[in-house]
């Protein structure tokens, strides 16, 4: 898991506002870390999860339990875990007396 993200699930069915249902809903692309039930905002669920790649998070997720519905998934914030890739090393500076035309490459004129 490379990223820790905050996601907003819009239109998530109220009948499935339980932790194991939300874990199942995002299990295809990530792992649930935390969520809090907010009865003042029933149209959305905000969760904290870990994912491998941000490109794997779908914009819309289809769920079915007898009947099917679609809800929207938006990335609110993403943090890269650990360090990024190492810095590239600069090319060593060679001596100034090397002439590029000194070597002959046969077959190139």
């Amino acid at each position: 898991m490379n990223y820790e993200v905050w996601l907003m699930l819009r239109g998530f069915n109220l009948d499935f506002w339980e932790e194991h249902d939300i874990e199942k809903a995002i299990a295809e692309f990530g792992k649930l870390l935390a969520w809090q039930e907010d009865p003042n905002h029933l149209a959305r669920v905000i969760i904290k999860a870990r994912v491998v790649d941000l490109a794997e998070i779908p914009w819309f997720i289809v769920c079915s339990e007898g009947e099917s519905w679609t809800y929207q998934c938006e990335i609110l914030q993403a943090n890269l875990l650990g360090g990024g890739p190492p810095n590239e090393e600069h090319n060593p500076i060679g001596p100034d007396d090397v002439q590029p035309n000194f070597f002959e490459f046969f077959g190139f004129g």
Side-chain angles (χ1 to χ4, degrees), residues 95-105:
D96 293 334
D97 61 346
V98 175
Q99 297 185 11
N101 296 331
F102 181 71
F103 299 100
E104 291 185 23
F105 295 105

Side-chain angles (χ1 to χ4, degrees), residues 8-12 17 38 41-46:
M8 179 170 57
L9 309 177
R10 296 179 60 180
F12 198 80
W17 268 38
D38 186 5
H41 300 96
L42 299 176
R44 63 168 167 79
V45 176
I46 296 184

Side-chain angles (χ1 to χ4, degrees), residues 7-59:
L7 300 173
M8 179 170 57
L9 309 177
R10 296 179 60 180
F12 198 80
N13 194 335
L14 293 175
D15 294 335
F16 299 100
W17 268 38
E18 295 183 22
E19 186 171 347
H20 68 276
D21 291 325
I22 294 175
E23 283 178 349
K24 236 192 288 187
I26 67 164
E28 186 175 316
F29 61 87
K31 181 178 185 245
L32 180 67
L33 295 178
W35 84 288
Q36 184 174 3
E37 187 174 342
D38 186 5
N40 295 327
H41 300 96
L42 299 176
R44 63 168 167 79
V45 176
I46 296 184
I47 63 171
K48 185 177 186 179
R50 285 199 177 153
V51 297
V52 174
D53 189 14
L54 297 178
E56 291 182 6
I57 300 173
W59 290 1

